Amino acid sequence: MERRDAVRLIGTLAAMPFIPRSAETAFAHGERAHLRVQHTGAGFRTFNGPQQAAVTEIAEMIMPRTDTPGATDVGVAQFMDFIMTEWATDEDRASFLRGLQDIDDRANARGGVIFVRLSADAKIELLQSLDLLRKDRTGAGYAFAQLKSLTAYGYFTSERVQKEVLKTRMFFTAFEPDVPV
Amino acid sequence: MQSTTYDAIVVGSGMSGGWAAKEFCEKGLRTIVLEAGRPINPAVDYVEHVPEYDLRFRGYGNRKMLDRYQPIQKQCYACDEWSGKFFVNDLDNPYSFPKDKPFSWIRGRQVGGRSIMWGRHTYRWSDLDFEANLKEGVGVDWPIRYKDIAPWYDYVDRFVGIQGRTEGLAQLPDGPFLPPWPLNVAEQKSRDLLLTKFGGERVITNARVAILTKDLNGRSACHLCGTCERGCSTLSYFSSINATLPAARKTGILTLRPFSVVHSVIVDEKTHRARGVRVIDANTRKMFDVRAKVVFLCASALESTRILLNTKSAAFPGGLGSSSGALGHNLMDHIMGGGASGTLPWLNDRKSVGNRPSAFYVPRFRNVKSRQPDFQRGYAFQGGAFRGGWGRDLPGFGADYKNALIKDLGPWGISFYGFGEQMPHHENMIDLDPTLVDAWGVPALRVNCTYDDNAHRLLDDMIVTATEMLEAIGARDIKPTREDNAPGLVIHEMGTARMGRDPKTSVLNGWNQLWDAPNVFVTDGACMASTANQNPSITYMALTARAVDRAVTLMKRHEL
C-alpha cells in the first residue's frame, strides 16, 4: 500500500463517530473502511474510473489468469497507475492518456461503444490491430505498447510471480554453464 | 585550529586509499584515512538481495529525485533505485564545463568510494602499453615498465582474488588467477569458432574479475546473485570496505575519519615538504589541520588534482605540483560503446544457471601484431551470451504470450561492447573554476575535455570487428551499436598529474612522488601517463602498494 493510501485509510478510521467497544467491532469497522477505500479506487491516483476499467481489462487480456496468476491477481493496474503518477513525466503521462482515449475512439468507430463495452471477440481484434502498431510514438499503438511492457514488468516483478511462478533464486553454489532447458 | 599528528595521511578511502591504508598500517605506521563522505554500514547499506517488489519504484528508480539531485550521476547504469545512494548529490558537488564539451563526472563520496560500485574487471597492462608513448612520440614516456610493476600486480592480485583463464597473451599478462566461472555453452562455442576463424588473434576469454570463486582471507566465494554494484554481504567481490580497510583496521593503528573534506595540502615554504592537510568537517564546516610525515592523495583522479590545484603558495602559485606546467592537463577517459549484438541460431535447448555479473572479454587485437593504418592503439570488448527470458519483446498477448514469456527463454543473444584508448592531450584539462564552489566552500573544477579523432576511429572500428566476429559465429539479426557518450562516463578518468621521467614535463616521478614535494604521493588515476584500453583499477592498486613500499623505505632511510 502506498503511504498516501494508508493516510487516507487512517483518515477514514479517525472519522469514526464512536469509539469501538470491542476488538470485533473495531475489526468490522476496519473491514468496511477498507472495502470502501478499495471501491473508491485506492491505489489509483492518475486513472479515473473508466480508465481504471480499461487498463485493468487490457492488462488482464495481456497476462490472463491461467494455471498461474493473472495481471489483476498481482495488482498490475495499480502498479501502472503508480508509475504514471510518480515516475512518468507530465508529457509521457499525457501521451499515454491520449493513447488510451484513442483506444476508446477506435472502439467507438468499430462498435459504437468504448473499449470495455465491446464484445470479447471485438476486444481481441482491436488489440491485435494495435499490437501491429506498437512501434508508434503516439496514439493507441503507443498506449498499447506501454500497457504491454508495463504489464509484463509489473507482473514479473511482483512478489507472487517471483516466488510462485518464476521461483527466482538468489543463491547458487556454482555457475552451471551448460544445462538442458 | 586543532591539529593531530600521524605517520601517514591517506586522502580517500576507495580503491587506492584502501590499499595505501592497508600497506601503511601493516608496515606499522600510524595512519589516518580522511574520507569526504559518510561511513557505510554493510548491514544496512548493502542491498544486493532486495528484490524489485520491495522497492517503491520496483527498480524504475525515483525519476523526479534523480532528475533534480543526480542529473549527472544518473547517467551511470549503476545509479539506480538500489545503488543511487552510493553516488554524489550533484547539487552539493558542482563542476563546470563548456556547453559544447560535456563531461560526465561520476562520483562516490563515502567510505569505500567507488570501489563499492566499480565494474570489478581487472586487467594487467603490458609493455605494449607502457612503451607506447615513447615509441609513438606521444605525451611523456612512462617511467616504469612491466617488470617494475609485475611483482606488485602479483602482490595485489593474491590479496584481491581475481578469477581468470591463463591465456599466455603478451598484450594481456596472466596473473595468479582463481579458477574462473566457465564460459557458458554458447560463449564456449563462440570462442572455439573465433579461435579457428581468426587464427588465435581474436580470443573470447573469461572475464577477469575481482570476484572470489574460492574463499579467501575471510571472504566467501561468490554465490552468483549477480548485482554486485549494490554491495556484497558475503564480501565476495573486492572493495576497500570488503577487504583492504578491514585489513588495515586489524592492525589497531588505523584511524578512519569520514565527513572529512580535504581542502589543500599544508606545505612548508622553505623545505617544500608537506606538513599535513587542511580539512573541512563536512558536518560542522569547521576547518582543522591533520599533520603527518607523508601524504598520499588517493581521492580519485580529478579530486586529488583538485586538492593540488587548491594548494597555492608563493612557491607554487598554480598549485602544488604545477612547476612542470602539466598539473591539470592531459585528462583522459576511455572511449566506450562501439560494438554489435546479435542472436545465435543454435543451442536453443541449452541454458546456464547462476547469475554471473560478467561474462567474457576479448583482449585487444588491433595494433598488436599487425599495424592499423587508420588509428593508433586499440580497444578490447566486454560481452556475453545470454537468453532473454521474460524481459524480451514478443508479438501478441494472452495466454500463449504469457506462457511464452514464462517458459521459453528466447534465443541466445550475444554482444560485444568496446572500450578503447584515449590519447593524452595538453588541451584536455581541468583547472579551478574562478567562481564556482561546492557545498563546503571548496573551489570547484572546470573541465575541458573531448575525445579526439583517433578515439572516434576506434569506435568505428569496434563496429567493424564486432560485426565480423558475429558473422563468423553465424549470428543473426546483427545490430551495430555506436554510442555517443561524453568523456567521463566510462568512469576511467585518468591523468592530470602524470608520472614521468622529467620534472619539467611531469608532475610525479616513477614512484608516484610529487617532484615539487617529495613526501606527497598521488597513486590514483591522476598519475596515469596514458590509458591503455584495460580497466585501470588493478594498476592503481599495484602502483599504490609499490608507492607505499617506496615511501616507507625512504622514511626508514630518513630521506623523506
Side-chain angles (χ1 to χ4, degrees):
Chain A
M1 186 188 284
E2 266 299 296
R3 189 179 161 275
R4 194 163 174 167
D5 298 335
V7 170
R8 220 185 269 164
L9 189 57
I10 290 161
T12 318
L13 292 170
M16 285 190 297
F18 62 94
I19 297 163
R21 304 240 165 89
S22 68
E24 287 79 6
T25 23
F27 183 74
H29 201 90
E31 282 271 82
R32 279 196 297 278
H34 188 65
L35 281 173
R36 199 154 58 237
V37 168
Q38 276 189 328
H39 285 273
T40 52
F44 290 99
R45 283 179 288 152
T46 288
F47 302 149
N48 61 26
Q51 287 166 342
Q52 285 172 34
V55 165
T56 305
E57 175 140 13
I58 293 171
E60 186 66 21
M61 286 180 71
I62 294 167
M63 303 293 258
R65 183 190 291 175
T66 54
D67 55 339
T68 51
T72 311
D73 293 324
V74 297
V76 163
Q78 285 85 347
F79 167 70
M80 287 198 270
D81 184 274
F82 175 75
I83 292 297
M84 284 298 157
T85 308
E86 290 285 347
W87 190 87
T89 61
D90 293 348
E91 206 176 303
D92 289 343
R93 185 184 317 108
S95 190
F96 177 76
L97 294 177
R98 272 198 306 274
L100 265 189
Q101 181 60 50
D102 190 19
I103 293 176
D104 269 346
D105 291 348
R106 286 170 191 247
N108 244 314
R110 281 171 184 238
V113 288
I114 60 170
F115 179 81
V116 294
R117 302 261 180 263
L118 286 176
S119 70
D121 285 348
K123 282 175 187 160
I124 291 172
E125 261 178 45
L126 177 53
L127 293 194
Q128 280 170 340
S129 72
L130 297 182
D131 198 36
L132 301 174
L133 304 176
R134 65 185 196 284
K135 304 277 179 220
D136 284 6
R137 312 292 291 175
T138 57
Y142 167 79
F144 185 63
Q146 292 287 301
L147 282 161
K148 250 181 96 167
S149 68
L150 282 168
T151 297
Y153 190 84
Y155 181 80
F156 284 113
T157 58
S158 70
E159 182 167 7
R160 195 166 157 202
V161 173
Q162 285 277 319
K163 286 182 175 167
E164 293 175 19
V165 180
L166 298 174
K167 298 184 172 66
T168 301
R169 287 170 63 192
M170 269 181 204
F171 303 92
F172 301 84
T173 48
F175 178 71
E176 299 174 67
D178 185 8
V179 176
V181 170
Chain B
M1 271 191 239
Q2 62 181 69
S3 167
T4 324
T5 301
Y6 295 85
D7 293 324
I9 292 169
V10 176
V11 180
S13 64
M15 200 61 83
S16 306
W19 267 100
K22 171 184 174 299
E23 295 303 296
F24 272 126
C25 287
E26 289 182 346
K27 289 174 192 293
L29 275 75
R30 289 185 314 109
T31 304
I32 184 166
V33 174
L34 297 167
E35 165 54 51
R38 69 180 178 111
I40 291 294
N41 176 359
V44 175
D45 288 312
Y46 284 181
V47 287
E48 75 275 19
H49 299 140
V50 174
E52 282 88 351
Y53 54 77
D54 277 343
L55 293 177
R56 184 157 186 257
F57 290 87
R58 289 256 198 118
Y60 265 60
N62 189 337
R63 184 192 58 77
K64 291 175 191 171
M65 297 293 271
L66 286 168
D67 285 354
R68 181 161 178 197
Y69 297 109
Q70 296 182 302
I72 303 279
Q73 307 307 309
K74 72 172 187 180
Q75 297 170 27
C76 172
Y77 73 98
C79 184
D80 62 13
E81 194 169 351
W82 289 266
S83 305
K85 62 185 172 185
F86 296 135
F87 294 80
V88 298
N89 176 324
D90 287 319
L91 301 186
D92 286 345
N93 294 277
Y95 63 98
S96 65
F97 47 81
K99 271 205 166 58
D100 59 337
K101 294 180 183 175
F103 184 85
S104 302
W105 189 11
I106 309 299
R107 287 186 277 176
R109 273 194 165 191
Q110 63 252 322
V111 175
R114 292 181 297 189
S115 76
I116 298 173
M117 334 74 103
W118 72 306
R120 305 161 303 280
H121 282 258
T122 44
Y123 302 101
R124 292 184 179 205
W125 286 31
S126 73
D127 276 336
L128 181 69
D129 307 303
F130 288 116
E131 291 174 356
N133 280 2
L134 179 67
K135 283 184 173 168
E136 296 169 12
V138 169
V140 294
D141 182 23
W142 273 92
I144 58 168
R145 291 294 181 262
Y146 183 68
K147 68 174 170 44
D148 300 307
I149 196 173
W152 295 101
Y153 275 140
D154 286 348
Y155 177 71
V156 296
D157 278 8
R158 289 202 170 86
F159 182 78
V160 168
I162 293 164
Q163 55 167 299
R165 182 197 293 236
T166 300
E167 295 282 5
L169 299 168
Q171 75 272 34
L172 196 76
D174 300 312
F177 296 132
L178 299 176
W181 292 316
L183 296 172
N184 68 35
V185 62
E187 293 160 353
Q188 183 61 45
K189 180 167 174 173
S190 301
R191 172 184 162 100
D192 296 342
L193 287 167
L194 289 188
L195 285 175
T196 310
K197 302 226 171 152
F198 291 96
E201 190 199 36
R202 301 188 191 180
V203 181
I204 287 181
T205 189
N206 309 55
R208 296 175 181 178
V209 285
I211 305 173
L212 301 180
T213 50
K214 281 181 172 174
D215 294 354
L216 180 72
N217 302 328
R219 297 162 50 214
S220 302
C222 171
H223 54 273
L224 291 143
C225 72
T227 48
C228 306
E229 65 277 5
R230 297 171 191 170
C232 187
S233 311
T234 55
L235 317 182
S236 306
Y237 79 79
F238 176 86
S239 70
S240 62
I241 294 198
N242 291 352
T244 44
L245 291 174
R249 193 173 291 120
K250 215 162 106 183
T251 63
I253 53 173
L254 171 74
T255 304
L256 172 61
R257 194 183 193 285
F259 298 120
S260 304
V261 178
V262 172
H263 172 276
S264 52
V265 181
I266 303 161
V267 186
D268 186 313
E269 287 285 308
K270 284 182 198 148
T271 63
H272 291 184
R273 292 288 193 280
R275 295 287 169 243
V277 293
R278 188 142 295 160
V279 187
I280 299 165
D281 185 295
N283 293 316
T284 65
R285 306 291 201 271
K286 281 194 181 134
M287 205 174 246
F288 61 98
D289 292 351
V290 179
R291 301 202 172 251
K293 294 168 192 151
V294 62
V295 175
F296 264 57
L297 296 181
C298 303
S300 82
L302 272 58
E303 290 285 19
S304 288
T305 298
R306 182 181 173 202
I307 292 166
L308 292 173
L309 288 166
N310 207 31
T311 305
K312 292 177 196 286
S313 63
F316 305 108
L320 185 63
S322 64
S323 62
S324 63
L327 184 68
H329 294 276
N330 300 290
L331 170 61
M332 303 166 283
D333 187 16
H334 286 141
I335 188 161
M336 71 174 180
S341 59
T343 59
L344 298 173
W346 28 259
L347 291 171
N348 272 339
D349 58 338
R350 317 300 294 179
K351 65 173 183 177
S352 60
V353 174
N355 304 317
R356 280 175 311 168
S358 48
F360 68 59
Y361 188 75
V362 180
R364 173 176 160 187
F365 50 86
R366 290 305 211 196
N367 288 320
V368 175
K369 284 181 181 153
S370 55
R371 294 259 77 85
Q372 294 297 311
D374 295 340
F375 54 82
Q376 293 166 283
R377 318 270 169 120
Y379 54 85
F381 289 108
Q382 291 177 23
F386 302 94
R387 305 197 70 172
W390 62 258
R392 67 196 200 279
D393 180 36
L394 279 186
F397 55 89
D400 290 346
Y401 167 80
K402 181 179 145 193
N403 285 336
L405 289 183
I406 292 172
K407 289 177 184 149
D408 299 344
L409 294 169
W412 287 97
I414 185 166
S415 70
F416 295 89
Y417 187 94
F419 291 80
E421 182 157 3
Q422 186 192 9
M423 302 294 220
H425 295 285
H426 187 78
E427 59 273 23
N428 280 340
M429 62 167 288
I430 54 173
D431 61 1
L432 296 180
D433 189 287
T435 54
L436 194 63
V437 294
D438 69 14
W440 301 273
V442 182
L445 286 180
R446 180 164 63 179
V447 185
N448 200 318
C449 185
T450 52
Y451 288 122
D452 62 12
D453 288 345
N454 193 67
H456 285 115
R457 284 196 288 272
L458 292 176
L459 212 52
D460 293 336
D461 196 60
M462 291 172 194
I463 298 168
V464 173
T465 59
T467 304
E468 285 170 358
M469 288 191 283
L470 288 167
E471 284 168 349
I473 59 179
R476 295 184 182 158
D477 313 315
I478 297 172
K479 292 188 178 74
T481 49
R482 190 189 198 284
E483 294 175 5
D484 183 22
N485 298 308
L489 192 60
V490 187
I491 326 180
H492 294 167
E493 65 275 15
M494 289 178 250
T496 67
R498 68 186 177 195
M499 293 167 79
R501 296 173 186 274
D502 182 350
K504 292 193 197 70
T505 56
S506 58
V507 179
L508 305 168
N509 70 12
W511 299 99
N512 296 75
Q513 263 175 299
L514 272 187
W515 294 111
D516 284 353
N519 65 338
V520 178
F521 291 69
V522 183
T523 68
D524 55 30
C527 76
M528 307 295 271
S530 66
T531 69
N533 61 71
Q534 295 90 320
N535 306 49
S537 291
I538 196 69
T539 299
Y540 307 161
M541 296 190 228
L543 287 174
T544 303
R546 177 175 175 269
V548 172
D549 188 65
R550 175 68 174 179
V552 173
T553 302
L554 292 176
M555 287 164 96
K556 281 185 186 154
R557 287 196 221 143
H558 304 286
E559 289 176 22
L560 206 61

Short mmCIF file of all heavy atoms in Angstrom, two decimals, chain B residues 251-273:
data_model
loop_
_atom_site.label_atom_id
_atom_site.label_comp_id
_atom_site.label_asym_id
_atom_site.label_seq_id
_atom_site.Cartn_x
_atom_site.Cartn_y
_atom_site.Cartn_z
N THR B 251 45.13 -4.01 12.27
CA THR B 251 46.43 -3.68 12.87
C THR B 251 46.28 -2.85 14.14
O THR B 251 47.22 -2.72 14.92
CB THR B 251 47.30 -2.86 11.89
OG1 THR B 251 46.63 -1.61 11.64
CG2 THR B 251 47.50 -3.60 10.57
N GLY B 252 45.12 -2.24 14.33
CA GLY B 252 44.89 -1.43 15.52
C GLY B 252 45.49 -0.03 15.45
O GLY B 252 45.38 0.73 16.40
N ILE B 253 46.10 0.31 14.34
CA ILE B 253 46.71 1.65 14.25
C ILE B 253 46.10 2.50 13.14
O ILE B 253 46.66 3.50 12.72
CB ILE B 253 48.25 1.57 14.08
CG1 ILE B 253 48.63 0.66 12.91
CG2 ILE B 253 48.90 1.09 15.38
CD1 ILE B 253 50.12 0.69 12.60
N LEU B 254 44.92 2.09 12.67
CA LEU B 254 44.22 2.87 11.65
C LEU B 254 43.24 3.83 12.30
O LEU B 254 42.51 3.45 13.22
CB LEU B 254 43.44 1.94 10.71
CG LEU B 254 42.49 2.65 9.73
CD1 LEU B 254 43.27 3.32 8.61
CD2 LEU B 254 41.48 1.67 9.15
N THR B 255 43.23 5.07 11.84
CA THR B 255 42.16 6.00 12.18
C THR B 255 41.44 6.32 10.89
O THR B 255 42.06 6.75 9.92
CB THR B 255 42.73 7.30 12.79
OG1 THR B 255 43.53 6.96 13.91
CG2 THR B 255 41.61 8.24 13.22
N LEU B 256 40.14 6.06 10.86
CA LEU B 256 39.36 6.36 9.67
C LEU B 256 38.40 7.47 10.03
O LEU B 256 37.58 7.32 10.94
CB LEU B 256 38.60 5.10 9.22
CG LEU B 256 37.58 5.24 8.10
CD1 LEU B 256 38.24 5.74 6.82
CD2 LEU B 256 36.91 3.90 7.84
N ARG B 257 38.53 8.61 9.35
CA ARG B 257 37.67 9.74 9.69
C ARG B 257 36.79 10.09 8.49
O ARG B 257 37.24 10.71 7.53
CB ARG B 257 38.50 10.96 10.10
CG ARG B 257 37.64 12.04 10.78
CD ARG B 257 38.45 13.28 11.12
NE ARG B 257 37.74 14.17 12.02
CZ ARG B 257 36.72 14.97 11.67
NH1 ARG B 257 36.27 14.98 10.43
NH2 ARG B 257 36.15 15.76 12.58
N PRO B 258 35.51 9.71 8.53
CA PRO B 258 34.59 10.13 7.48
C PRO B 258 34.23 11.60 7.62
O PRO B 258 34.69 12.27 8.56
CB PRO B 258 33.36 9.25 7.69
CG PRO B 258 33.62 8.42 8.90
CD PRO B 258 34.87 8.89 9.55
N PHE B 259 33.43 12.12 6.72
CA PHE B 259 32.98 13.52 6.74
C PHE B 259 34.17 14.49 6.81
O PHE B 259 34.09 15.53 7.46
CB PHE B 259 32.02 13.77 7.92
CG PHE B 259 30.75 12.95 7.86
CD1 PHE B 259 30.43 12.05 8.87
CD2 PHE B 259 29.90 13.07 6.78
CE1 PHE B 259 29.26 11.30 8.80
CE2 PHE B 259 28.73 12.32 6.70
CZ PHE B 259 28.41 11.43 7.73
N SER B 260 35.26 14.13 6.18
CA SER B 260 36.47 14.96 6.23
C SER B 260 36.86 15.38 4.81
O SER B 260 37.46 14.63 4.06
CB SER B 260 37.63 14.17 6.85
OG SER B 260 37.25 13.70 8.12
N VAL B 261 36.45 16.59 4.46
CA VAL B 261 36.70 17.11 3.11
C VAL B 261 38.08 17.77 3.10
O VAL B 261 38.28 18.78 3.78
CB VAL B 261 35.62 18.14 2.71
CG1 VAL B 261 35.90 18.70 1.33
CG2 VAL B 261 34.23 17.51 2.78
N VAL B 262 39.02 17.19 2.36
CA VAL B 262 40.35 17.78 2.34
C VAL B 262 40.36 18.98 1.39
O VAL B 262 39.96 18.87 0.23
CB VAL B 262 41.42 16.74 1.94
CG1 VAL B 262 42.77 17.40 1.74
CG2 VAL B 262 41.51 15.67 3.04
N HIS B 263 40.80 20.09 1.93
CA HIS B 263 40.78 21.36 1.21
C HIS B 263 42.09 21.56 0.44
O HIS B 263 42.09 21.96 -0.73
CB HIS B 263 40.56 22.47 2.25
CG HIS B 263 40.71 23.86 1.73
ND1 HIS B 263 41.95 24.50 1.64
CD2 HIS B 263 39.80 24.76 1.30
CE1 HIS B 263 41.76 25.71 1.15
NE2 HIS B 263 40.47 25.90 0.94
N SER B 264 43.21 21.26 1.10
CA SER B 264 44.51 21.51 0.47
C SER B 264 45.59 20.81 1.28
O SER B 264 45.33 20.31 2.38
CB SER B 264 44.80 23.01 0.41
OG SER B 264 44.63 23.59 1.70
N VAL B 265 46.78 20.80 0.73
CA VAL B 265 47.93 20.24 1.42
C VAL B 265 48.65 21.40 2.11
O VAL B 265 48.73 22.51 1.56
CB VAL B 265 48.89 19.54 0.43
CG1 VAL B 265 50.09 18.93 1.15
CG2 VAL B 265 48.14 18.47 -0.36
N ILE B 266 49.15 21.15 3.32
CA ILE B 266 49.92 22.19 4.02
C ILE B 266 51.40 21.98 3.67
O ILE B 266 51.94 20.90 3.92
CB ILE B 266 49.73 22.09 5.55
CG1 ILE B 266 48.24 22.19 5.90
CG2 ILE B 266 50.54 23.17 6.27
CD1 ILE B 266 47.91 21.66 7.28
N VAL B 267 52.00 22.99 3.07
CA VAL B 267 53.38 22.83 2.58
C VAL B 267 54.30 23.82 3.30
O VAL B 267 53.97 25.00 3.45
CB VAL B 267 53.46 23.07 1.06
CG1 VAL B 267 54.86 22.76 0.53
CG2 VAL B 267 52.43 22.21 0.33
N ASP B 268 55.44 23.34 3.72
CA ASP B 268 56.47 24.21 4.30
C ASP B 268 57.14 24.95 3.16
O ASP B 268 57.75 24.35 2.27
CB ASP B 268 57.48 23.34 5.06
CG ASP B 268 58.49 24.19 5.82
OD1 ASP B 268 59.04 25.15 5.21
OD2 ASP B 268 58.73 23.89 7.00
N GLU B 269 57.02 26.27 3.18
CA GLU B 269 57.51 27.08 2.07
C GLU B 269 59.02 26.96 1.88
O GLU B 269 59.53 27.11 0.77
CB GLU B 269 57.14 28.55 2.30
CG GLU B 269 55.67 28.86 2.10
CD GLU B 269 55.27 28.90 0.63
OE1 GLU B 269 55.91 29.60 -0.16
OE2 GLU B 269 54.32 28.18 0.27
N LYS B 270 59.74 26.69 2.99
CA LYS B 270 61.21 26.64 2.88
C LYS B 270 61.69 25.29 2.37
O LYS B 270 62.53 25.21 1.48
CB LYS B 270 61.83 26.92 4.25
CG LYS B 270 61.78 28.38 4.64
CD LYS B 270 62.46 28.59 5.99
CE LYS B 270 62.00 29.93 6.56
NZ LYS B 270 61.93 29.93 8.01
N THR B 271 61.14 24.23 2.95
CA THR B 271 61.65 22.90 2.62
C THR B 271 60.89 22.23 1.48
O THR B 271 61.32 21.21 0.96
CB THR B 271 61.56 21.97 3.85
OG1 THR B 271 60.16 21.85 4.19
CG2 THR B 271 62.32 22.55 5.04
N HIS B 272 59.76 22.83 1.10
CA HIS B 272 58.89 22.20 0.09
C HIS B 272 58.48 20.80 0.51
O HIS B 272 58.35 19.90 -0.32
CB HIS B 272 59.55 22.18 -1.29
CG HIS B 272 59.67 23.55 -1.88
ND1 HIS B 272 60.15 23.78 -3.14
CD2 HIS B 272 59.40 24.78 -1.37
CE1 HIS B 272 60.17 25.08 -3.39
NE2 HIS B 272 59.72 25.71 -2.32
N ARG B 273 58.29 20.61 1.80
CA ARG B 273 57.78 19.34 2.31
C ARG B 273 56.36 19.58 2.81
O ARG B 273 56.07 20.63 3.41
CB ARG B 273 58.62 18.82 3.48
CG ARG B 273 60.02 18.39 3.11
CD ARG B 273 59.95 17.09 2.34
NE ARG B 273 61.25 16.44 2.21
CZ ARG B 273 62.18 16.78 1.31
NH1 ARG B 273 61.97 17.79 0.49
NH2 ARG B 273 63.32 16.12 1.23
#
